[in-house]
Amino acid sequence: MAYQAKTFNWREPINAIVEVAKEITGLPVVAENQANDQKDYPFIVFTMVTPRASITSSNTKTNELFNTTFQFDCYAKSEGEALSISDDLATLFSDVKYHEELKKSGVIVNRDSATDTSIQNQELTSFMPISVAGFDLKVQLHRTYSSDYPTLNEFNLGKGSVQ
C-alpha cells in the first residue's frame, strides 16, 4: 500500500520534473540512491537539495508557497558530453514549452533558475574516466492543504464581536 499524502503530494511535482528531463534528453533520470544501479553512460541523477524553503508566512502551513531546489548531475564518458547534457537541461527547463508542462503539475520554474554546480572528472574505475556536469533547478510549489480543525476568525464578546 502506498502512503497517501495529507498535506502535499510530493510524487506529482517530482515525477513531472523527471518526465520533462527524460523528454528533453531521452536519457535515464534516477534518484541519487539509484545511481549505482546504472550500467551505461550517459545518465542523469537528481537530488532534492532544499525541499521546503517557505516564501509565505503561516502559522498553520496552509495555502503556502515554497521554493524547492533540485540538483541535477549529468554523468557521461566525456566532459563535452556531460556539459552538453547539463546545458540542454538547464536551458530547456527555462523554455516556455516545458514551463507549461510543469505548471500542469503545480511546478513553477523560477526565472534564472538554473545555476551551475559542478564540472568534474571522477575515476569510477581504474580504466574509465567519467565526467560529471551539474546544475541546480529552483522551482516554486504551492501547498493547498487546509486543516479539518476550525480556525478562529471571530471573537464573540457578548454585546459586540471583534473580527
Side-chain angles (χ1 to χ4, degrees), residues 12-74:
E12 189 173 350
I14 290 169
N15 289 343
I17 288 169
V18 167
E19 287 307 311
V20 166
K22 286 179 182 178
E23 185 179 334
I24 289 169
T25 64
L27 298 174
V29 179
V30 298
E32 186 177 37
N33 63 351
Q34 299 170 331
N36 291 335
D37 298 338
Q38 297 304 303
K39 307 274 188 257
D40 295 320
Y41 296 94
F43 64 88
I44 301 161
V45 174
F46 77 94
T47 308
M48 199 173 313
V49 181
T50 9
R52 294 176 301 274
S54 188
I55 297 171
T56 57
S57 178
S58 169
N59 290 340
T60 60
K61 299 265 186 200
T62 60
N63 204 25
E64 173 188 41
L65 290 174
F66 57 96
N67 285 329
T68 298
T69 303
F70 290 89
Q71 183 175 346
F72 287 87
D73 289 312
C74 305

Side-chain angles (χ1 to χ4, degrees), residues 79-91:
E79 186 174 327
E81 185 177 29
L83 284 167
S84 292
I85 296 164
S86 179
D87 185 56
D88 282 350
L89 275 175
T91 301

Side-chain angles (χ1 to χ4, degrees), residues 48-140:
M48 199 173 313
V49 181
T50 9
R52 294 176 301 274
S54 188
I55 297 171
T56 57
S57 178
S58 169
N59 290 340
T60 60
K61 299 265 186 200
T62 60
N63 204 25
E64 173 188 41
L65 290 174
F66 57 96
N67 285 329
T68 298
T69 303
F70 290 89
Q71 183 175 346
F72 287 87
D73 289 312
C74 305
Y75 288 78
K77 291 182 180 180
S78 74
E79 186 174 327
E81 185 177 29
L83 284 167
S84 292
I85 296 164
S86 179
D87 185 56
D88 282 350
L89 275 175
T91 301
L92 293 175
F93 265 121
S94 296
D95 186 280
V96 175
K97 172 185 176 182
Y98 299 109
H99 274 221
E100 292 304 314
E101 279 188 41
L102 290 169
K103 272 186 191 177
K104 293 174 190 171
S105 296
V107 178
I108 306 298
V109 177
N110 292 352
R111 192 179 313 179
D112 300 324
S113 64
T115 307
D116 289 333
T117 57
S118 63
I119 299 172
Q120 54 187 298
N121 284 321
Q122 296 179 345
E123 293 283 339
L124 296 182
T125 65
S126 60
F127 59 90
M128 184 185 294
I130 300 302
S131 292
V132 182
F135 67 96
D136 287 347
L137 178 71
K138 296 177 182 135
V139 300
Q140 189 176 90

Side-chain angles (χ1 to χ4, degrees), residues 6-7 54 56-65 143-153:
K6 295 173 181 63
T7 62
S54 188
T56 57
S57 178
S58 169
N59 290 340
T60 60
K61 299 265 186 200
T62 60
N63 204 25
E64 173 188 41
L65 290 174
R143 179 188 315 274
T144 56
Y145 158 77
S146 60
S147 177
D148 293 338
Y149 197 78
T151 57
L152 191 58
N153 293 329

